[in-house]
């Protein structure tokens, strides 16, 4: 581990102070991508010309002090988030040549804040996966150990931040797809409250669960990106009308009196020893700052994985019905009729994991099985949400590992979908409950793999999450370490 | 009723999902999805009772916007990604739907 990370906040300050230009900052990011990406596989597209044009426009501002809160900050965007004029594949052959006619609201807001989108990041196809191996364009490799996955599905965004290609990136989190790769790559990842960030322009996987969230080197950077993209949006009826606080100014390091609940009953088995030890050590650090650690119970949490996969696949089977090879996307010509064209286009356009989930989701919605699976899962989901809200009356936050294991070897779980699904055991609960959560680096294994601490908060109380995570980060500074492996040689 | 591993109706469900599977894929998914459903069957088997009273499952309430005409995509922009729309203003070409 060597080399200090450059933060978004520092890059913006250097631009505003005149210490550097947006063009120089952007060129440095593009150079890092050119040096690292071939082996890392984190980026699917790089839009150098547009990025440098935007940087030049920022450099031409007559008064940089009026520049936006992310001015001159190079960012990357997960490839299931639409970018006008820039290919957006969602990691799928079905959308290999899809060029969106509009940008997602989150992307528009990032750019209005002055950020420079340099490219799109690799991901599991349609965000379905926990390892970023289910991409039609090849896997992403973990910058800390290239023989291992970066987690998923936002593995490209996490790897890009961890390797220092960009200080911040957007991901999407349906069942943990921001938090788990953040943990496995040693960066910060935030899943906002459902409704905090508009989903307009996010390619739908499971609409009652999908949320866009930031990945960044530090909590402060993540807060800055979240503030830029959050807020109501006329293009998304589920984007809440809640006010967007100034989260950055509330990062004061004070956690005195904060009650952090730990559901030890969920940690009794199935958690890697080094992960458990690092999480317990993190709680001791927070206790030493004045937080109160207490035991809690999360009712029905043991059902979270099956409930999540029953609901998410059902919603996916409906959302992905639109890929019929007619209006956009991959198409196989068929002389024997429309239905044959649908079936062949979808069979060839989708990868194995997407097909597996579409069949499962179609099954649980089908006559004779709907009540036993989908309806039951919806009922259980309401109980899981109630369990979280109840736990969060006696505690301000819930603490869990983000992932039960550190980064696992490429190929280890790809042929065993059940093992892959269980990677999400600690993240799907907050997704089902619609509550916000953050993963923050809390140490390394003896083999040098990052470990993440997950904190889960009350609906729309991202402020407490960010404040406590930032306080922890101040005392530990794991974020400062960057991977120094051969995959990042040549990086600045 | 929860499906068992050996009787997961993979061919019928794949047809409902408009997916044409190879025999090898059908065999693989039959085995994998049967195993997954055996595990997920714990949800079907558990008595969770009626959902608790409270806000919607996601906790979000829909926000509305004025019902007014707004600028939108042109037909050309909306169809720019269509695989077979060349030379067809505002139309896409599909295989024949009706018989001779």
């Amino acid at each position: 581990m060597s080399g200090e990370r450059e933060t978004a906040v520092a890059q913006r300050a250097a631009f505003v102070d005149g210490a550097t230009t947006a063009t120089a900052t952007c060129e440095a990011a593009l150079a890092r991508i050119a040096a690292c990406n071939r082996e890392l596989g984190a980026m699917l597209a790089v839009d150098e010309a547009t990025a440098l044009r935007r940087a030049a426009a920022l450099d031409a501002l007559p008064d940089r002090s009026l520049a936006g809160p992310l001015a001159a900050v190079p960012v990357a965007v997960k490839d299931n988030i639409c970018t006008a004029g820039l290919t957006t594949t969602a990691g799928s052959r079905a959308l290999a040549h899809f060029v969106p006619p509009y940008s997602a609201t989150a992307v528009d807001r990032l750019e209005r804040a002055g950020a420079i989108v340099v490219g799109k990041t690799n991901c599991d196809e349609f965000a379905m996966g926990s390892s970023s191996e289910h991409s039609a364009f090849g896997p992403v490799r973990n910058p800390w150990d290239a023989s291992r996955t970066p987690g998923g599905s936002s593995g490209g965004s996490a790897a890009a931040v961890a390797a220092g290609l960009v200080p911040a990136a957007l991901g999407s989190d349906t069942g943990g797809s921001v938090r788990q790769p953040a943990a496995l790559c040693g960066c910060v990842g935030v899943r906002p409250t459902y409704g905090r960030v508009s989903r307009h322009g996010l390619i739908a996987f499971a609409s009652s669960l999908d949320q866009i969230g930031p990945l960044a080197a530090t909590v402060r950077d993540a807060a800055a990106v979240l503030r830029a993209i959050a807020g109501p949006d006329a293009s998304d009826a589920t984007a809440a009308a809640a006010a967007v606080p100034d989260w950055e100014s509330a990062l004061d390091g004070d956690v005195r009196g904060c009650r952090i609940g730990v559901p030890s009953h969920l940690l009794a088995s199935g958690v890697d020893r080094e992960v458990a030890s690092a999480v317990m050590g993190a709680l001791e650090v927070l206790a030493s700052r004045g937080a109160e650690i207490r035991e809690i119970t999360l009712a029905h949490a043991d059902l979270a994985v099956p409930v999540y996969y029953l609901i998410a696949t059902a919603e996916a089977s409906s959302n992905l019905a639109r890929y019929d090879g007619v209006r956009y996307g991959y198409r196989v010509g068929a002389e024997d009729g429309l239905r044959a064209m649908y079936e062949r286009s979808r069979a060839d356009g989708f990868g194995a994991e997407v097909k597996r989930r579409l069949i499962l989701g179609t099954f649980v919605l089908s006559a004779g099985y709907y009540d036993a699976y989908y309806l039951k899962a919806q009922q259980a989901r309401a109980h899981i949400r109630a369990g979280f809200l109840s736990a969060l009356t006696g505690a301000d936050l819930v603490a869990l590992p983000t992932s039960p294991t550190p980064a696992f070897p490429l190929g280890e779980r790809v042929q065993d979908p059940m093992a892959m699904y269980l990677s999400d055991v600690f993240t799907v609960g907050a997704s089902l409950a619609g509550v916000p959560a953050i993963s923050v680096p809390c140490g390394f294994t003896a083999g040098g793999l990052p470990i993440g601490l997950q904190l889960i908060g009350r609906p729309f109380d991202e402020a407490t999450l960010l404040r406590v995570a930032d306080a922890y980060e101040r005392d530990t500074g794991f974020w400062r370490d960057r991977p120094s492996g051969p995959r990042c040689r040549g990086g600045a | 009723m929860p499906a068992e591993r050996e009787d997961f109706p993979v061919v019928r469900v794949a047809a409902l999902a408009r997916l044409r599977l190879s025999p090898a894929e059908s065999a693989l998914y039959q085995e994998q999805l049967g195993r997954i459903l055996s595990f997920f069957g714990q949800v079907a088997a558990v008595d969770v009772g009626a959902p608790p009273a409270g806000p919607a499952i996601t906790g979000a309430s829909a926000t509305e916007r004025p019902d007014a005409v707004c600028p939108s995509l042109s037909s050309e922009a909306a169809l720019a990604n269509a695989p077979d729309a060349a030379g067809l203003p505002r139309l896409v070409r599909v295989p024949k739907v009706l018989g001779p």
Side-chain angles (χ1 to χ4, degrees):
Chain A
M1 308 163 206
S2 68
E4 189 155 310
R5 291 180 177 179
E6 209 170 354
T7 69
V9 169
Q11 286 183 335
R12 194 259 183 194
F15 168 73
V16 171
D17 294 348
T20 189
T21 63
T23 299
T25 305
C26 192
E27 285 175 339
L30 293 168
R32 288 192 294 268
I33 292 169
C36 298
N37 193 54
R38 186 168 176 184
E39 293 183 82
L40 207 54
M43 309 287 297
L44 288 179
V46 178
D47 190 1
E48 185 170 331
T50 304
L52 290 173
R53 198 163 53 242
R54 284 185 50 79
L58 285 165
D59 287 333
L61 287 174
D63 183 356
R64 291 186 181 183
S65 68
L66 300 178
L70 295 173
V73 176
V75 297
V77 175
K78 186 178 180 180
D79 209 26
N80 65 344
I81 300 173
C82 287
T83 44
L86 181 57
T87 307
T88 298
T89 69
S92 179
R93 186 181 187 189
L95 290 176
H97 306 291
F98 179 68
V99 180
Y102 62 89
S103 286
T105 298
V107 172
D108 278 339
R109 288 177 176 175
L110 267 187
E111 292 187 330
R112 277 208 296 275
I116 300 170
V117 175
V118 294
K120 307 298 291 290
T121 58
N122 202 354
C123 57
D124 286 301
E125 184 177 8
F126 289 104
M128 297 183 195
S130 307
S131 68
S132 301
E133 293 170 286
H134 296 298
S135 166
F137 309 105
V140 184
R141 293 177 181 273
N142 192 312
W144 295 92
D145 180 345
S147 71
R148 295 174 184 268
T149 84
S153 63
S154 308
S157 293
V161 171
L165 309 188
V166 286
L170 291 186
S172 68
D173 189 313
T174 303
S177 284
V178 163
R179 291 163 283 160
Q180 186 251 21
L184 270 47
C185 287
C187 54
V188 174
V190 180
R191 176 190 168 86
T193 307
Y194 184 84
R196 176 64 93 179
V197 176
S198 168
R199 291 180 297 113
H200 176 64
L202 170 64
I203 293 175
F205 159 19
S207 301
S208 76
L209 296 155
D210 296 340
Q211 270 292 280
I212 294 174
L215 296 101
T218 66
V219 174
R220 185 171 291 276
D221 280 1
V225 173
L226 182 59
R227 189 178 179 207
I229 63 176
D233 177 19
S235 297
D236 177 4
T238 64
V244 178
D246 179 359
W247 289 303
E248 292 165 81
S249 65
L251 302 181
D252 58 7
D254 187 0
V255 301
R256 284 172 298 174
C258 182
R259 301 165 302 167
I260 299 175
V262 182
S264 297
H265 62 107
L266 299 179
L267 309 177
S269 64
V271 183
D272 177 271
R273 182 181 50 78
E274 289 181 287
V275 170
S277 172
V279 168
M280 290 306 155
L283 295 173
E284 287 172 15
V285 170
L286 288 168
S288 72
R289 270 191 168 256
E292 179 192 329
I293 312 299
R294 55 172 60 183
E295 185 67 30
I296 60 160
T297 300
L298 276 177
H300 301 291
D302 55 321
L303 295 176
V305 168
V307 166
Y308 169 79
Y309 277 96
L310 291 171
I311 291 173
T313 58
E315 294 187 18
S317 74
S318 173
N319 274 326
L320 271 64
R322 71 192 68 179
Y323 300 104
D324 55 9
V326 174
R327 292 154 298 163
Y328 43 72
Y330 185 80
R331 174 169 177 171
V332 176
E335 299 307 315
D336 48 347
L338 188 64
R339 178 161 175 164
M341 187 200 79
Y342 291 158
E343 292 179 344
R344 288 179 179 158
S345 297
R346 290 164 62 79
D348 286 3
F350 294 146
E353 178 61 21
V354 169
K355 284 190 268 192
R356 187 160 35 238
R357 295 194 193 200
L358 293 183
I359 293 169
L360 180 59
T362 301
F363 173 76
V364 303
L365 290 175
S366 65
Y369 299 100
Y370 178 94
D371 286 357
Y373 288 106
Y374 181 70
L375 186 61
K376 206 66 177 283
Q378 287 288 22
Q379 292 171 340
R381 180 181 185 177
H383 286 280
I384 290 169
R385 174 173 162 80
F388 269 93
L389 297 182
S390 172
L392 287 164
T393 57
D396 300 302
L397 296 173
V398 172
L400 282 168
T402 309
S403 165
T405 66
F408 44 93
L410 287 160
E412 181 184 86
R413 301 179 191 176
V414 97
Q415 300 302 331
D416 185 352
M418 201 59 240
M420 189 74 86
Y421 298 168
L422 290 172
S423 307
D424 305 332
V425 64
F426 293 131
T427 52
V428 290
S431 297
L432 290 165
V435 296
I438 189 169
S439 181
V440 62
C442 70
F444 294 87
T445 65
L449 298 173
I451 300 169
L453 165 70
Q454 181 180 206
L455 298 170
I456 302 167
R458 300 188 186 109
F460 296 102
D461 188 17
E462 285 87 356
T464 302
L465 278 183
L466 294 164
R467 180 166 53 82
V468 174
D470 169 71
Y472 174 74
E473 188 180 81
R474 290 176 189 218
D475 273 350
T476 52
F478 293 117
W479 69 274
R480 294 181 188 280
D481 292 320
R482 263 179 58 184
S484 57
R487 312 239 164 225
C488 294
R489 274 200 304 247
Chain B
M1 283 293 294
E4 297 302 328
R5 180 183 308 196
E6 58 275 10
D7 64 6
F8 184 81
V10 67
V11 173
R12 181 178 69 82
V13 180
L16 288 173
R18 300 291 186 264
L19 289 168
R20 184 167 295 191
L21 302 182
S22 68
E25 284 179 311
S26 294
L28 179 67
Y29 290 145
Q30 168 112 17
E31 191 277 326
Q32 289 179 337
L33 291 171
R35 196 153 46 90
I36 289 167
L37 277 173
S38 296
F39 176 69
F40 288 2
Q42 64 181 291
V43 175
V46 76
D47 180 13
V48 291
I57 280 178
T58 60
S61 55
T63 53
E64 296 181 345
R65 63 181 177 189
D67 185 14
V69 177
C70 298
S72 188
L73 296 176
S74 66
S75 302
E76 291 74 20
L79 294 177
N81 285 286
D84 193 357
L88 300 171
R90 300 188 181 193
L91 295 171
V92 292
R93 188 180 286 110
V94 297
K96 190 165 62 177
V97 176
L98 301 175

